[in-house]
Amino acid sequence: MLQRDQRQVMAQRIDPKLIMANAILQQSAIELAQHIEEELAENPALDAIEQEPACRGACVPPESCPICDQRERRAAAEEARYDGAYEVDPYARSAREEGFDPLGNLEAEVTLQDHLGVLLRAALPETDCRIGEYLISNLDDNGYLVDAPEEIADELNVAVEDVCRVLATIQSLDPPGVGARNLRECMLIQLQFLRDDGQGNAMAERMVRGHFEDVVYRRHSKLARALGISSETAKATIEYMRDNLNPYPASQFRPPWAYRPSNHRSSIRPDVVIRRTDVGYEVEVLGSEPFLLGVNPTYREAYHRARASNGSLPTEEKRHIVEYVERAELFIKHINQRKKTLRQITRAIVDLQQGFLETGSRAYLRPLTRTRIAEQLGMHESTISRATAKKYVQLPNQEVVPFDLLFNASLSIKTAIEHLIAQEDPAHPLSDQQIVELLREQGTRVARRTVVKYREAQKILSSNRRRR
């Protein structure tokens, strides 16, 4: 008689509800709008109700409410007519008062150069912007640098070291791999991004650095012998690179006639809007407008009957009703949670970046990391990353910028290091470890080797050589 071997095995399973919540949180406004349309088509229990503007007659600011806005405009027109001078266009008056450019909000295709230009101006001093802009203009459609740094240095009449330094800054920007001079460098840059994000693979880096040709041609056995690993490990590592690396880092920025994105067209449409009001800043999260989602009343009533029935409904009909109603409820819950999370994150950013919001100048950006926002809101850092990844925010001056600009940790740390060293006692200069501790007191966690890296990048001597 055969005996079955029964053993308990612990395996970690991810809750499908958590997967759905993270997916919706990560979606941009355009992706979410498309997702809602798809869900409305697939789920008969989900209803879209046109939102009626709720108005009590004193909305602040008036233009945020269609009813109050129209009332303000009529009053302005009446006032101008009774003044007897000439009739004023109330729409033009509102635009002048708000400093609003209606053409500035038209959706347009964002190019790789536009995207990098915004990030680069925040990451480089003014003296290096000319080199950075020239390098950006020399990137091809895939994001690779066309000309050699030596040729660019000769063209601009600058040192090759300066070109390489600015190029390194470009290579640290989003999308990972941009600015690479070849496929190997592109892969190494992306692997470094993954390592910094806690998802790195040391074996993959070893393969690309020392056995690139074998990686390209997927020579599993040869890689295994060279690195002293099994063929299965070599194959799994190459699969990791295939799933996580993109040989065409700028493909998402190609125009629609050259490339058809898999999810949505690349357009400068904000996911969050920050407005200045008389009582502070107002945050609006976009994505689910112009409809209010709800459960279909007929399905809701049938759901309650199905729950209360004791076998009176056919099993298949009961399963259909329960499945679709609970799916609709969960979908609405995750959309509301996305809106709440994005609003909380943006409000925290508003509180910490008042100077930048008031002036619009990158010079007033304060040191800020996702870790700090996570600690302040009691969230996990990965939640902050998912919520803000590849999303844009519209500032009070109507400029639309990526959330990454507000979390430019490299720029903030470099600026903070430079500021601390500028204020140190020349007779007792700060050591790198002391700088680490001072930054930690300011809410910025950074490793000592990172301080050394940024200090050397800014051509600042060590503490021993700074002592006077």
Side-chain angles (χ1 to χ4, degrees), residues 53 62 84 109 216 326-327 347 464:
E109 294 296 329
V216 172
E326 291 184 352
R327 173 176 162 181
R347 286 196 180 279
N464 291 334

Side-chain angles (χ1 to χ4, degrees), residues 115-284:
H115 172 75
L116 291 176
V118 172
L119 299 178
L120 199 65
R121 284 191 292 273
L124 287 176
E126 192 69 31
T127 52
D128 287 336
C129 281
R130 183 173 72 98
I131 300 175
E133 290 170 359
Y134 191 88
L135 284 168
I136 289 174
S137 68
N138 271 270
L139 299 178
D140 63 15
D141 290 341
N142 294 322
Y144 289 92
L145 184 65
V146 176
D147 296 330
E150 293 77 13
E151 297 175 3
I152 294 173
D154 185 58
E155 185 73 23
L156 297 177
N157 195 25
V158 296
V160 178
E161 292 77 11
D162 291 337
V163 174
C164 291
R165 176 170 48 80
V166 176
L167 177 60
T169 301
I170 293 175
Q171 292 176 347
S172 69
L173 302 177
D174 180 77
V178 72
R181 285 157 284 189
N182 50 56
L183 177 59
R184 179 173 176 272
E185 186 177 32
C186 177
M187 294 174 70
L188 286 172
I189 292 170
Q190 293 182 45
L191 286 169
Q192 182 178 343
F193 266 81
L194 289 169
R195 175 164 29 97
D196 293 342
D197 198 36
Q199 305 175 42
N201 188 312
M203 183 56 66
E205 291 191 52
R206 285 183 63 191
M207 284 184 178
V208 175
R209 288 186 190 280
H211 309 275
F212 178 66
E213 187 176 338
D214 295 331
V215 171
V216 172
Y217 291 101
R218 296 172 177 256
R219 297 168 180 160
H220 303 143
S221 300
K222 191 172 180 181
L223 286 166
R225 288 194 301 272
L227 296 169
I229 57 177
S230 65
S231 295
E232 289 75 16
T233 302
K235 185 177 180 180
T237 305
I238 289 181
E239 288 300 310
Y240 164 85
M241 288 187 272
R242 186 183 66 82
D243 293 339
N244 291 279
L245 306 185
N246 180 8
Y248 312 108
S251 58
Q252 70 190 82
F253 293 95
R254 292 179 185 172
W257 58 85
Y259 171 72
R260 182 176 296 172
S262 59
N263 44 20
H264 66 84
R265 61 192 178 91
S266 270
S267 58
I268 307 178
R269 179 185 174 183
D271 300 277
V272 180
V273 177
I274 302 175
R275 296 187 181 92
R276 184 183 290 107
T277 69
D278 294 338
V279 292
Y281 288 99
E282 176 187 89
V283 174
E284 179 185 2

Side-chain angles (χ1 to χ4, degrees), residues 8-145:
Q8 288 187 342
V9 179
M10 294 187 65
Q12 185 177 12
R13 292 186 178 180
I14 302 177
D15 189 349
K17 296 179 182 179
L18 181 60
I19 296 175
M20 182 193 293
N22 287 337
I24 290 176
L25 178 62
Q26 212 160 345
Q27 288 174 339
S28 66
I30 297 174
E31 290 172 325
L32 180 61
Q34 291 181 348
H35 191 177
I36 290 173
E37 289 181 7
E38 293 170 1
E39 192 68 18
L40 286 168
E42 295 176 6
N43 189 347
L46 186 65
D47 261 358
I49 310 160
E50 291 193 20
Q51 297 186 46
E52 293 293 333
C55 172
R56 298 180 180 178
C59 297
V60 179
E63 59 271 15
S64 65
C65 168
I67 297 176
C68 289
D69 189 36
Q70 191 63 30
R71 186 185 298 114
E72 287 283 316
R73 289 170 176 172
R74 283 200 300 267
E78 289 292 323
E79 182 182 348
R81 185 161 57 250
Y82 283 121
D83 284 345
Y86 54 86
E87 188 167 345
V88 178
D89 180 2
Y91 291 84
R93 176 177 179 269
S94 176
R96 284 196 304 271
E97 287 179 353
E98 295 297 322
F100 174 73
D101 176 14
L103 295 179
N105 274 347
L106 291 180
E107 292 185 8
E109 294 296 329
V110 58
T111 66
L112 176 66
Q113 285 71 25
D114 293 336
H115 172 75
L116 291 176
V118 172
L119 299 178
L120 199 65
R121 284 191 292 273
L124 287 176
E126 192 69 31
T127 52
D128 287 336
C129 281
R130 183 173 72 98
I131 300 175
E133 290 170 359
Y134 191 88
L135 284 168
I136 289 174
S137 68
N138 271 270
L139 299 178
D140 63 15
D141 290 341
N142 294 322
Y144 289 92
L145 184 65

Side-chain angles (χ1 to χ4, degrees), residues 358-411:
E358 289 291 337
T359 63
S361 171
R362 270 67 171 172
Y364 288 90
L365 278 170
R366 294 181 60 189
L368 185 60
T369 62
R370 288 175 172 82
T371 304
R372 181 176 179 184
I373 294 294
E375 291 176 350
Q376 181 173 326
L377 297 177
M379 297 180 182
H380 197 278
E381 187 177 349
S382 63
T383 302
I384 309 297
S385 298
R386 287 192 184 95
T388 58
K390 297 181 181 179
K391 290 189 178 67
Y392 289 80
V393 56
Q394 181 176 301
L395 305 177
N397 64 0
Q398 307 299 323
E399 183 182 4
V400 179
V401 302
F403 266 100
D404 288 344
L405 177 67
L406 305 170
F407 290 110
N408 199 321
S410 172
L411 170 68

Side-chain angles (χ1 to χ4, degrees), residues 381-452:
E381 187 177 349
S382 63
T383 302
I384 309 297
S385 298
R386 287 192 184 95
T388 58
K390 297 181 181 179
K391 290 189 178 67
Y392 289 80
V393 56
Q394 181 176 301
L395 305 177
N397 64 0
Q398 307 299 323
E399 183 182 4
V400 179
V401 302
F403 266 100
D404 288 344
L405 177 67
L406 305 170
F407 290 110
N408 199 321
S410 172
L411 170 68
S412 303
I413 294 170
K414 286 180 180 178
T415 304
I417 292 172
E418 188 176 8
H419 181 69
L420 288 172
I421 292 176
Q423 293 185 325
E424 69 182 3
D425 181 1
H428 301 90
L430 297 171
S431 67
D432 295 328
Q433 185 58 40
Q434 287 174 321
I435 293 174
V436 169
E437 294 167 0
L438 289 172
L439 289 173
R440 187 180 294 118
E441 291 176 5
Q442 296 176 3
T444 303
R445 297 181 181 276
V446 62
R448 180 181 173 278
R449 62 179 179 275
T450 305
V451 171
V452 175

